[in-house]
Amino acid sequence: ATTEIYTLSLHDALPIFAGPPHIWFWMLNCRATPTRDRRVRQAMNYAVNREGLVKDILRNTATVAKGPFPPGNPGYAKDNVAGYTYDPARARRLLAEAGFPNGFEMKCFYPASGTGMMVPTPMNEYIQANLRDVGIRVSFEVMEFGAFIAKARLGLDDETSALQTSWSSNDPWWLESMFHSDLHPPKGNVRTWYRNPEVDRLLDQARRELNETRRLQLYRQAEKIITDDAPWIFVCHDRSPIAYRAKVQNFVAPPSWNFDLRQVWLR
């Protein structure tokens, strides 16, 4: 299917970008050494060349992630967080400050395929090479998607520093579902075991806030703290490229992976 899409886009097809608000990321273990140290998690973010990954691996079919909110989510604001630049020297300094001047070994697991996973093996191997450049030696466990979900729902264990996954979200409440400490496994999806009382307080306020403007302000305040705490490696947002022939009429790109073709016709 991928070959057919690219063949069409090079000839008589019209390329468009669609799909739901999406983010592709690594979850980092916030309760076990070495990634329980915020400086280590920040170093891992500085070690990743997001621009290179988007250009060389994904051929510009994604955009660089700055923080947890993806474009298209109401909570997203372009300049709310600065994000992490590609800065291996800074990554090494942070690792040294955290007591890991020679880096460390870590484990990460991810699914070989699945909804929103894009091309996980080339992407993860690219990040693996970036991390190796600053002394972090990553070994992978690649899993079938169903087995991955079952393991991920338990949260990261003391032997595993990271898991890689992706998510789509259409409401800023999603920030609570990913970062509120009340939603550690098995109750929820905070598989990192991340905990920050100030983030919890802001998310609690946002859930009760009826004024939409104020609600979004609270979520964006929380996003700033979360991004600085770096419980994830924030990598990229899938642009969900679609190509279709010029004779296809009245096709509208959906904000999801569900297509409505009832009004589509061929010229």
Side-chain angles (χ1 to χ4, degrees), residues 167-190:
W167 221 278
S168 297
S169 63
N170 292 292
D171 188 272
W173 177 84
W174 173 79
L175 211 65
E176 177 175 339
S177 72
M178 292 288 104
F179 299 105
H180 198 295
S181 63
D182 283 350
L183 296 177
H184 288 175
K187 292 173 63 178
N189 292 318
V190 189

Side-chain angles (χ1 to χ4, degrees), residues 56-225:
D56 298 334
I57 302 298
L58 299 175
R59 306 300 185 194
N60 296 314
T61 60
T63 59
V64 168
K66 292 183 178 181
F69 272 135
N73 185 294
Y76 176 81
K78 182 179 179 181
D79 298 319
N80 189 54
V81 293
Y84 291 86
T85 58
Y86 177 47
D87 194 339
R90 188 169 183 177
R92 294 187 192 97
R93 288 196 301 271
L94 285 165
L95 289 173
E97 290 173 12
F100 299 96
N102 299 314
F104 54 86
E105 294 182 355
M106 61 173 282
K107 297 179 181 179
C108 175
F109 66 96
Y110 72 90
S113 62
T115 303
M117 290 304 296
M118 306 172 76
V119 286
T121 294
M123 295 170 72
N124 282 310
E125 289 177 349
Y126 189 99
I127 293 171
Q128 181 187 43
N130 285 168
L131 294 173
R132 185 171 58 243
D133 287 344
V134 300
I136 300 174
R137 300 168 295 281
V138 182
S139 61
F140 287 127
E141 180 181 4
V142 186
M143 310 178 73
E144 180 273 329
F145 191 68
F148 166 81
I149 292 297
K151 182 173 182 177
R153 283 176 176 163
L154 301 176
L156 288 159
D157 59 39
D158 291 343
E159 302 299 319
T160 308
S161 298
L163 67 87
Q164 181 272 305
T165 188
S166 69
W167 221 278
S168 297
S169 63
N170 292 292
D171 188 272
W173 177 84
W174 173 79
L175 211 65
E176 177 175 339
S177 72
M178 292 288 104
F179 299 105
H180 198 295
S181 63
D182 283 350
L183 296 177
H184 288 175
K187 292 173 63 178
N189 292 318
V190 189
R191 298 159 185 174
T192 59
W193 310 103
Y194 174 70
R195 182 186 300 275
N196 185 314
E198 178 63 11
V199 169
D200 286 350
R201 184 186 69 80
L202 288 166
L203 295 176
D204 288 339
Q205 282 187 256
R207 188 187 334 110
R208 296 189 295 264
E209 179 59 58
L210 299 180
N211 180 284
E212 186 65 11
T213 299
R214 176 59 182 157
R215 177 175 180 252
L216 294 179
Q217 289 173 347
L218 291 164
Y219 280 121
R220 289 167 184 160
Q221 289 178 48
E223 184 190 27
K224 289 181 179 180
I225 300 170

Side-chain angles (χ1 to χ4, degrees), residues 4-10 13-17 240-245 251:
E4 177 66 11
I5 287 175
Y6 281 103
T7 299
L8 288 173
S9 67
L10 290 172
L14 303 175
I16 60 171
F17 295 94
S240 300
I242 300 170
Y244 63 100
R245 294 186 184 277
F251 176 75

Side-chain angles (χ1 to χ4, degrees), residues 223-249:
E223 184 190 27
K224 289 181 179 180
I225 300 170
I226 292 164
T227 303
D228 189 54
D229 283 343
W232 295 357
I233 299 178
F234 311 101
V235 181
C236 66
H237 308 293
D238 189 5
R239 299 178 70 195
S240 300
I242 300 170
Y244 63 100
R245 294 186 184 277
K247 67 181 181 180
V248 176
Q249 303 295 300

